[in-house]
Amino acid sequence: MLMIVLTVLAIPTLAFLFWLGGVFVKEFVRVSRGGDRHDAALAGSVPAGAQDTGPAAPLPAAERAALEAVREGRWEPAAALLAAIGQDWERRSWFAYLLAERAAEDDGWLTSWEQTRRDCPDAAVVRARSTVVLAWRVRGGKRARHTSREQFAGFHRVLEQSRTDIERAAKLNPADPTPHIAAIWVALGLGAPRAEMDRIWAEVTARAPHHYEAHFSALQYWCAKWRGSRTLAVSFAERAAASAPAGSLLTAFPLIAFYEHEDEDVDGHGAGEPEDVDSEAMRRRVDDALRDVAAADPAHPRLAELRHLLAYFCLLQGRVTEAAENFRLVDGHIGALPWRYMAGDKAEHFCDMRDIALRGAADVAHHLDGTPRP
């Protein structure tokens, strides 16, 4: 009788254990399949240690070859490329800056160019930009409280010297906005009054009203950390985006203005609380930027910079499909906002957010493809 009773009591227990085992098996299968899906989503991703922290995207072959030549002391390929670029002001200012960075390290090749081709406007604009780059390197990239008096003195001295180079470049090529873009950084560094900034900005926009680098430079001036406030920076960015044609990428600037002031409770003039990243206005700005990217020339030298911003903001807004698309297109190069401002290992920050986006997009695709969940 006792055996019969124990058998009867054991049946529900065994049934429960079988049921529980089945649940664990199903969950194991579900997680395993999800893991496979996530592994597939991450396949081909560039590891943190292999991320290039220099450019925002791979350089075109012609630019890469010219930069390699100047490292070897040969200026002719760079001169030929700048001449070929002509009045493509966006590309001209971008490539002149890349050359200026090299000249700030070693300008022997640039001096040879200047001596061989007297009064060459292309050499002059690289010289003007390189002097400004050198000044900012003397200062260093830290906040003012962490910058020495000697650094500030050298910074201001070289910036003052750059004015002569900028004026010469502007005279040699009056149509070129690039020298005036360099002048923005002089105004910012020397604390020029807003009237002076307005004068420089008028020179820029008379030549290139929707120039990406010019707007980035001016936005820095209007940020609270330099000569403006959050209110002024956001106002400037919104006006730029509203007036720009599709494909100009100026929709980046409301996003940049938000990011520049994201950690502030109030701006320098006591404006209200900062906006939430998932607000209706921020979602609209991201929508505008997505359309802008779709309309842009794939060869635009700043396209990757907006893609980096979109990858970041789309992920913060839970738009994992759009985030993943942009992460895939820029993977391997992280020399752009927002990663450039992040403390610690920038590549790790990028890869962590990229992997979240790619896994999330894989899950969304799994739900949408009609396949029943196990």
Side-chain angles (χ1 to χ4, degrees):
M1 177 64 68
L2 179 61
M3 291 298 295
I4 294 172
V5 171
L6 290 174
T7 300
V8 170
L9 291 174
I11 289 173
T13 303
L14 290 171
F16 172 75
L17 290 174
F18 278 120
W19 174 83
L20 188 62
V23 169
F24 277 115
V25 169
K26 287 181 179 179
E27 181 64 13
F28 176 77
V29 170
R30 186 189 70 79
V31 171
S32 297
R33 290 183 180 177
D36 291 343
R37 182 166 65 248
H38 294 162
D39 289 344
L42 298 181
S45 296
V46 179
Q51 295 287 339
D52 190 333
T53 59
L59 295 177
E63 280 82 348
R64 193 167 60 247
L67 292 173
E68 185 59 35
V70 300
R71 288 191 188 95
E72 298 169 356
R74 296 183 292 110
W75 54 268
E76 293 86 354
L81 184 52
L82 270 179
I85 288 172
Q87 294 192 354
D88 182 344
W89 302 131
E90 198 75 66
R91 191 174 168 211
R92 177 180 174 82
S93 69
W94 172 73
F95 185 54
Y97 182 80
L98 295 179
L99 291 171
E101 287 187 307
R102 304 302 187 274
E105 298 168 2
D106 179 1
D107 68 348
W109 58 272
L110 179 55
T111 300
S112 297
W113 183 0
E114 292 168 322
Q115 292 173 346
T116 304
R117 296 184 181 175
R118 301 285 181 179
D119 294 332
C120 173
D122 295 342
V125 79
V126 174
R127 175 63 70 187
R129 301 221 69 174
S130 71
T131 309
V132 177
V133 170
L134 179 60
W136 284 90
R137 287 187 180 177
V138 169
R139 183 197 182 281
K142 295 181 180 179
R143 296 267 184 174
R145 64 180 177 272
H146 300 301
T147 304
S148 70
R149 185 177 302 174
E150 291 76 15
Q151 284 175 297
F152 270 122
F155 174 53
H156 293 152
R157 183 174 61 255
V158 179
L159 279 183
E160 287 288 358
Q161 293 170 357
S162 74
R163 292 182 188 273
T164 301
D165 293 333
I166 290 171
E167 289 172 4
R168 180 170 179 269
K171 287 179 181 178
L172 288 172
N173 191 352
D176 187 3
T178 310
H180 304 284
I181 295 170
I184 294 173
W185 291 95
V186 178
L188 190 156
L190 295 178
R194 292 175 184 175
E196 173 64 8
M197 179 60 198
D198 289 340
R199 184 195 66 76
I200 296 170
W201 189 240
E203 297 287 353
V204 172
T205 53
R207 294 161 174 81
H210 307 298
H211 195 288
Y212 185 99
E213 186 193 352
H215 280 81
F216 179 84
S217 304
L219 179 61
Q220 295 301 304
Y221 180 94
W222 295 115
C223 282
K225 65 183 179 181
W226 288 110
R227 309 300 173 189
S229 66
R230 178 161 58 91
T231 298
L232 290 171
V234 170
S235 177
F236 173 83
E238 292 285 3
R239 288 196 308 273
S243 64
S248 66
L249 306 184
L250 297 196
T251 52
F253 294 104
L255 303 181
I256 295 173
F258 177 94
Y259 186 72
E260 290 280 6
H261 301 87
E262 191 173 16
D263 296 329
E264 296 180 7
D265 293 331
V266 295
D267 71 18
H269 291 189
E273 292 297 318
E275 194 173 4
D276 184 79
V277 71
D278 202 28
S279 68
E280 181 180 347
M282 280 301 294
R283 294 187 75 88
R284 185 184 68 250
R285 290 167 186 148
V286 170
D287 288 339
D288 291 343
L290 287 167
R291 286 190 291 269
D292 207 9
V293 162
D297 180 352
H300 194 298
R302 304 292 180 170
L303 179 58
E305 295 180 29
L306 183 47
R307 288 199 180 281
H308 279 280
L309 287 166
L310 281 170
Y312 174 78
F313 280 106
C314 283
L315 182 59
L316 292 186
Q317 292 180 350
R319 303 160 75 157
V320 290
T321 301
E322 293 96 331
E325 178 185 0
N326 284 284
F327 270 116
R328 289 189 189 99
L329 289 168
V330 298
D331 196 12
H333 295 78
I334 59 169
L337 292 178
W339 331 111
R340 199 167 66 219
Y341 281 5
M342 290 183 176
D345 192 325
K346 297 171 175 54
E348 288 288 351
H349 287 307
F350 173 86
C351 291
D352 287 345
M353 294 191 75
R354 176 202 64 197
D355 292 354
I356 292 170
L358 295 180
R359 291 188 183 108
D363 287 340
V364 169
H366 178 72
H367 282 296
L368 294 179
D369 69 2
T371 304
R373 291 185 63 83

